[in-house]
Amino acid sequence: MVRILFTSAGRRVELTRCFRRAAEKLGLRAEVHACDLQPELSAACLEAEVAFAVPRCTAPDYVERLLEHCAREKIALLVPTIDTELDLLSRARERFAQVGTLVHVSAPEVIDVVRDKERTIAVLAEAGVPVPRTARIEDVRADPSGWAFPLFAKPVGGSASRGIGVLHAAADIREDYPEPMLVQELLRGPEYTINMYLDARGRMRSAIPHLRISTRAGEVEKGRTVREPRMIAIAADIAAALNARGLNARGLNARDPDAGDLAAPAPSGPGAEGVLCFQLIDDPDRGPRVFEINARFGGGYPLADQAGGRFAESLLARVSGLPECASEHWREGVTMVRYDSAVFRG
């Protein structure tokens, strides 16, 4: 038996099913626990063996509620599913480790970077990762002469495509944005997500690009895996940049990748670990440009799982004391087409 808790579970039914299948492959039985604001209205909670209500992640007792449940129910793995809880859980992961729960989250230094899109661009650019030209919107408003419109605007701390838009001319820049905003050169061309797995020491074990054929509410609706060497190389550069950021922030040096026990939980280990994903656009004139990183399971992860990524399986192996198993042996050309389904109770 391995117990897994999905927080802010919402609609992530297929993600929980990925973990159920992964457990079976390891000869384990997964018991899924899930929580949300209103578990009775969450499809993932309705499919879980155990579901319970929690306050918003901004509530002062949010972490305590989760810790109590993890200690009481002997949760082996906690999987966050939304960006807004990553910082809180990252800073509390040592406390969860003390009750035997591995939180699937990177170090606070990494979360600080990926949750701030301005810092994301700066850190990646410093590491030589190709990114779009980016500036604060007030700087562009003050001097738009050096920019070629149209431009793309988005919140510094946004997610799920909230607050994004195209600026066709300098006159489109508002004076009253409700939150800090960035402006980027407008990229054209096909959009890709790259799901990547970093082991307990921060080594990239796998990177699986997929073409985002169509999206809905910022999440891939139709996609197809592609073995694109340029994008896999970019994934390796991003992993190195994020791990350097995490280790340097704590005054640590990169560790020998062949030392120690691979399966041992490392809550204070490398900067980035586990599953991350990033988006890029392969612009016909500029080439691929990375514009966003999510330090969690993305909405399109089930496609990588179906292609043979074994990321969920690797995490379950880790908490079970087995070697992590994510690898580059995955299938190109696997297509995902999503549809709406329903869960009924009562």
Side-chain angles (χ1 to χ4, degrees):
M1 170 76 75
V2 58
R3 294 188 174 94
I4 313 157
L5 171 59
F6 295 87
T7 58
S8 303
R11 297 159 49 94
R12 303 299 289 274
V13 173
E14 191 58 37
L15 179 62
T16 67
R17 291 176 179 174
C18 289
F19 275 86
R20 291 187 191 277
R21 292 192 294 268
E24 289 180 6
K25 293 175 183 176
L26 292 170
L28 304 170
R29 184 169 71 85
E31 182 178 277
V32 172
H33 294 228
C35 62
D36 213 317
L37 282 171
Q38 295 179 285
E40 71 279 6
L41 298 179
S42 159
C45 286
L46 292 176
E47 279 216 351
E49 281 82 3
V50 177
F52 60 100
V54 289
R56 295 188 183 278
C57 63
T58 52
D61 61 339
Y62 181 71
V63 167
E64 297 301 328
R65 295 278 292 275
L66 295 180
L67 273 168
E68 290 171 6
H69 185 88
C70 288
R72 183 177 63 252
E73 300 295 334
K74 296 181 172 56
I75 300 295
L77 177 66
L78 185 154
V79 180
T81 66
I82 60 173
D83 293 326
T84 48
E85 60 186 346
L86 294 180
D87 180 66
L88 198 66
L89 292 173
S90 179
R91 298 180 193 283
R93 61 185 184 158
E94 298 278 7
R95 298 178 63 194
F96 283 94
Q98 291 170 7
V99 302
T101 301
L102 175 69
V103 180
H104 175 250
V105 69
S106 294
E109 297 82 9
V110 170
I111 303 303
D112 287 345
V113 170
V114 301
R115 288 291 294 133
D116 182 326
K117 298 185 190 308
E118 186 174 28
R119 289 190 65 193
T120 297
I121 295 297
V123 168
L124 295 185
E126 183 181 349
V129 175
V131 293
R133 182 187 178 195
T134 303
R136 285 280 182 142
I137 201 164
E138 55 267 26
D139 295 334
V140 178
R141 183 193 299 114
D143 182 15
S145 60
W147 292 81
F149 287 83
L151 300 172
F152 187 71
K154 64 182 181 180
V156 171
S159 62
S161 299
R162 187 194 79 245
I164 64 173
V166 175
L167 304 172
H168 294 280
D172 293 338
I173 302 176
R174 292 165 41 192
E175 297 279 352
D176 59 344
Y177 290 99
E179 56 186 318
M181 298 287 290
L182 294 179
V183 167
Q184 293 180 330
E185 57 186 351
L186 185 65
L187 301 173
R188 305 182 188 278
E191 185 175 337
Y192 296 82
T193 292
I194 295 82
N195 285 282
M196 52 196 292
Y197 186 89
L198 282 61
D199 66 19
R201 291 194 212 96
R203 296 180 300 180
M204 191 180 85
R205 292 289 194 95
S206 182
I208 306 178
H210 69 251
L211 172 65
R212 292 162 67 95
I213 297 171
S214 71
T215 60
R216 181 170 62 174
E219 195 167 283
V220 63
E221 183 179 45
K222 300 173 186 176
R224 180 175 299 118
T225 57
V226 294
R227 193 173 288 275
E228 171 49 82
R230 294 177 304 160
M231 299 175 192
I232 294 171
I234 288 172
D237 289 342
I238 289 175
L242 293 179
N243 276 314
R245 174 67 50 165
L247 293 171
N248 291 342
R250 285 171 282 162
L252 301 174
N253 295 317
R255 293 180 291 176
D256 177 1
D258 296 318
D261 177 12
L262 181 61
S268 295
E273 58 181 286
V275 180
L276 299 89
C277 64
F278 62 94
Q279 277 80 49
L280 64 78
I281 289 176
D282 192 6
D283 189 284
D285 299 319
R286 302 174 179 88
R289 292 290 183 270
V290 176
F291 61 89
E292 180 152 346
I293 304 175
N294 295 308
R296 56 171 172 79
F297 280 95
Y301 168 73
L303 174 54
D305 188 84
Q306 183 66 30
R310 303 179 72 187
F311 296 0
E313 188 179 345
S314 201
L315 282 173
L316 293 183
R318 178 178 169 185
V319 299
S320 302
L322 302 171
E324 294 176 83
C325 53
S327 76
E328 284 301 319
H329 300 296
W330 51 271
R331 301 188 307 281
E332 185 177 22
V334 177
T335 300
M336 176 178 72
V337 179
R338 283 177 156 166
Y339 69 99
D340 290 330
S341 185
V343 177
F344 300 97
R345 288 291 185 272

